[in-house]
Amino acid sequence: MSDQGKHIVAVIGAGPAGLFAARQLAANNSSVVIINRDIKPGGLAEYGIYPDKVKMKDGLRKQFEQILELPDIHYFGNLTVGEEGDLSLEILKRFGYQAILVTAGAQGTKWLGLPGEDIPRDVYHAKDLVYHYNKLPPYSNQEFYIGRRVALIGVGNVMMDIARWLAREKKVDEIIAVARRGPAEVKFDKKEMEYMIANLDVRALDEELGRVAPVMVAIGQDPEAARQNILAASPRALERVSDTRFRFDFLASPTHILGKDTVQWLEISNTTLIPVGDDTKAKTLWTRRILDVDTVIFCIGDRVDDKFGLPTQWNEFVKNPNPQYPIEEISYEAYDPETGLPIQGVFMAGWSREASSGLVGIARKDGERGAKAISHYLENVKPVNDPNDILEKFQNRLARLEKPIVTKIHLPALVEAEKEEKEKLGLEDYKFKTNEEMLKVMKLI
Ligand SMILES: Cc1cc2nc3c(=O)[nH]c(=O)nc-3n(C[C@H](O)[C@H](O)[C@H](O)COP(=O)(O)OP(=O)(O)OC[C@H]3O[C@@H](n4cnc5c(N)ncnc54)[C@H](O)[C@@H]3O)c2cc1C
Ligand SMILES: NC(=O)c1ccc[n+]([C@@H]2O[C@H](COP(=O)([O-])OP(=O)(O)OC[C@H]3O[C@@H](n4cnc5c(N)ncnc54)[C@H](OP(=O)(O)O)[C@@H]3O)[C@@H](O)[C@H]2O)c1
């Protein structure tokens, strides 16, 4: 079929948002060029979801393979866009893509600005560890020194994944989940607690509930209901494999990590709860306590990469406050607050639109809505004569980069080689831990 009369769109990032957006764009008669930092597609579905969720990961991998097989979708992996990447966003725009969708996830780190947060060892952000145990190069071969008593800051599902890795793989002595709010505001799901509940110190939970109950009751919360919710996973508890003691410290906000080269302890401030509509806010009281831990891991969500080449505000890229192509009242359009103008033709979706928000299904829907916004925008843009001209120009430029670029022609060899290793070693899943190994089996080096 002729490619004439099509639009050509670049999608940056091949996580769930980018891949499902690409499929939607291709279905709307666009030729799509996906650019991905990692060699493999999948984003956090490949390198975030806990390694033993093999069935779920395999199901998603199958869907991603099918998307990449579509003739109008082109894939360029091992290629980073950004001010410090292989190509800047400005350079990418010059190739003549008629729209660009940014689905690069949330790759920045949310620093809190605490003293001691920069201690080189023993203080980590969850994403780096998650990438490490999910074998994303170069994190896969990075050393992370984990002590015996670990404070996890935040009480969402990422905290639960990290706790699970610490209790079931690292078998540390103690894990303390530190929550700035109370037992009624925990964000993890019952299902994810099933892996940890056998390690939970229930007596410590009850003591902690007793300590914070007056604050809860004062604003109309029910401590017993919160207890039931936290313990709801009990009937389906997975057998414990370590003596790790898991406990919660509520109404506690980290203020200082003490230590020079390594962590000695963590100072926290007590907080109280302030009702805000149906929700609550933590208010710092400035009375302090010390937690005797030797490792601190922040599980508080991430922010977008400020070196990507788009304006950022708080933890996000700036969105057009008055979108021209809103979908379900959401703005998918990039915006420059300095000029007060939209950044023409640049859109964002998934965790690049709203950092650290929701499951794969949510990212997928967001990608599809972002694609819809682009399709509305393209209604007023003349299709190119032949998208292959732009594609060829782009590929010629990539050939000048001093690195191998992975296309969808190469990926099946990688899938096959990992499958062979998996079968040879009798494992449920197998991943090469370095780019070199992956490039070698694809005969790119
Ligand atoms: C630890 C963890 C566990 C999770 N577990 C589950 C789970 O069990 N079930 C579930 O449903 N959801 C889970 N999620 C949520 C799910 O992973 C996300 O909702 C989803 O992956 C977000 O998709 P995305 O496409 O927006 O971003 P991502 O998945 O982060 O994809 C971003 C893509 O962009 C690429 N990229 C990044 N920067 C650049 C750049 N500068 N240039 C080019 N490419 C770039 C990356 O290589 C990556 O492929 C988990 C999340 C985390 C953090
Ligand atoms: N297995 C799974 O299904 C799975 C696994 C991992 C992740 N995910 C999904 O991925 C998304 C991201 O997960 P997440 O755990 O990173 O986010 P999350 O659910 O939003 O939890 C973040 C936690 O960090 C706390 N926090 C945020 N900023 C803080 C600060 N400045 N100081 C102290 N605490 C702070 C939050 O407290 P407050 O509530 O007070 O803000 C909250 O407890 C979620 O949608 C999650 O469901 C799913």
Side-chain angles (χ1 to χ4, degrees):
M1 203 173 82
S2 159
D3 274 341
Q4 290 189 353
K6 277 186 196 284
H7 289 105
I8 180 159
V9 179
V11 172
I12 306 171
L19 288 162
F20 286 109
R23 185 172 72 177
Q24 173 102 6
L25 286 162
N28 282 345
N29 204 32
S30 285
S31 182
V32 185
V33 169
I34 302 179
I35 298 165
N36 196 39
R37 177 197 64 192
D38 307 334
I39 286 179
K40 278 190 201 175
L44 286 166
E46 181 66 38
Y47 292 116
I49 293 180
Y50 204 79
D52 74 356
K53 293 188 178 173
V54 177
K55 226 168 140 188
M56 181 186 195
K57 286 194 176 211
D58 276 345
L60 288 165
R61 284 174 187 145
K62 274 260 133 27
Q63 293 185 57
F64 299 156
E65 273 170 34
Q66 284 166 4
I67 291 173
L68 291 179
E69 276 166 15
L70 296 171
D72 278 330
I73 295 186
H74 309 274
Y75 179 79
F76 299 97
N78 201 27
L79 183 62
T80 302
V81 176
E83 288 165 9
E84 292 172 355
D86 302 304
L87 292 175
S88 68
L89 185 61
E90 285 314 308
I91 289 182
L92 189 68
K93 282 182 189 165
R94 288 187 212 144
F95 286 95
Y97 292 111
Q98 294 170 295
I100 295 177
L101 178 63
V102 180
T103 51
Q107 307 300 335
T109 300
K110 216 164 120 184
W111 297 102
L112 296 186
L114 306 181
E117 207 177 357
D118 56 351
I119 294 175
R121 230 189 70 176
D122 313 330
V123 180
Y124 305 115
H125 285 257
K127 175 160 47 61
D128 297 6
L129 286 170
V130 163
Y131 279 164
H132 170 71
Y133 66 62
N134 267 297
K135 299 193 173 64
L136 173 67
Y139 302 88
S140 41
N141 281 325
Q142 214 167 302
E143 290 239 29
F144 291 89
Y145 298 91
I146 305 288
R148 301 307 308 166
R149 296 175 314 282
V150 186
L152 302 181
I153 316 300
V155 286
N157 280 328
V158 169
M159 178 282 286
M160 219 34 115
D161 275 9
I162 297 281
R164 177 176 171 190
W165 179 66
L166 293 171
R168 303 188 83 85
E169 305 297 327
K170 295 276 149 188
K171 302 186 170 51
V172 300
D173 294 340
E174 184 172 27
I175 301 168
I176 309 172
V178 179
R180 64 177 166 184
R181 294 194 286 164
E185 286 93 1
V186 295
K187 285 193 171 161
F188 54 81
D189 296 327
K190 180 173 102 183
K191 181 91 196 75
E192 304 311 316
M193 181 60 148
E194 287 171 10
Y195 300 96
M196 282 306 296
I197 194 138
N199 288 84
L200 182 70
D201 183 336
V202 179
R203 192 194 293 179
L205 175 70
D206 285 336
E207 276 173 22
E208 189 60 2
L209 278 160
R211 187 179 73 82
V212 301
V215 174
M216 298 177 74
V217 170
I219 59 161
Q221 290 182 345
D222 177 358
E224 184 49 30
R227 181 181 189 274
Q228 293 302 329
N229 179 45
I230 291 172
L231 296 178
S234 300
R236 295 179 56 90
L238 246 77
E239 208 176 312
R240 60 195 269 164
V241 299
S242 70
D243 291 332
T244 304
R245 174 179 181 238
F246 179 44
R247 69 179 179 93
F248 288 91
D249 200 309
F250 292 111
L251 300 182
S253 183
T255 38
H256 194 158
I257 305 167
L258 288 98
K260 193 162 170 273
D261 300 320
T262 58
V263 170
Q264 279 163 357
W265 57 75
L266 171 71
E267 182 195 75
I268 48 169
S269 279
N270 291 315
T271 64
T272 192
L273 294 173
I274 308 289
V276 182
D278 288 342
D279 204 357
T280 59
K281 229 177 99 177
K283 180 172 175 250
T284 305
L285 294 173
W286 301 113
T287 48
R288 298 181 180 192
R289 288 185 286 129
I290 294 291
L291 295 185
D292 181 16
V293 294
D294 55 15
T295 308
V296 178
I297 303 172
F298 289 93
C299 312
I300 58 174
D302 299 302
R303 49 173 292 129
V304 296
D305 174 7
D306 340 87
K307 298 227 160 64
F308 184 80
L310 285 177
T312 57
Q313 201 168 46
W314 303 111
N315 296 318
E316 319 246 317
F317 293 129
V318 186
K319 272 126 352 219
N320 185 354
N322 300 303
Q324 291 167 285
Y325 311 95
I327 305 292
E328 295 172 28
E329 297 179 23
I330 300 171
S331 174
Y332 287 87
E333 297 155 39
Y335 182 78
D336 184 348
E338 272 188 25
T339 59
L341 294 171
I343 301 173
Q344 205 57 28
V346 180
F347 293 75
M348 62 195 85
W351 282 26
S352 280
R353 188 185 66 75
E354 197 173 352
S356 295
S357 153
L359 302 178
V360 165
I362 307 270
R364 170 190 174 154
K365 278 212 184 86
D366 208 59
E368 288 168 349
R369 282 193 296 251
K372 232 189 218 173
I374 289 186
S375 297
H376 289 318
Y377 165 77
L378 290 175
E379 282 166 13
N380 299 315
V381 177
K382 195 168 160 271
V384 285
N385 280 339
D386 191 350
N388 289 323
D389 293 343
I390 290 172
L391 191 60
E392 210 179 296
K393 228 170 42 176
F394 183 62
Q395 280 173 301
N396 288 341
R397 176 69 172 80
L398 297 187
R400 283 177 23 219
L401 293 175
E402 284 175 1
K403 67 187 294 195
I405 301 298
V406 177
T407 72
K408 64 184 192 179
I409 296 169
H410 303 113
L411 287 172
L414 175 58
V415 172
E416 200 45 45
E418 289 191 332
K419 188 166 158 237
E420 272 173 27
E421 287 296 319
K422 177 179 89 171
E423 283 164 8
K424 200 165 77 193
L425 299 167
L427 298 172
E428 266 202 289
D429 199 17
Y430 181 87
K431 284 185 195 175
F432 291 114
K433 275 169 78 178
T434 62
N435 281 350
E436 288 67 32
E437 288 166 290
M438 290 192 256
L439 293 170
K440 228 178 227 165
V441 298
M442 290 184 283
K443 301 202 175 1
L444 280 163
I445 51 173

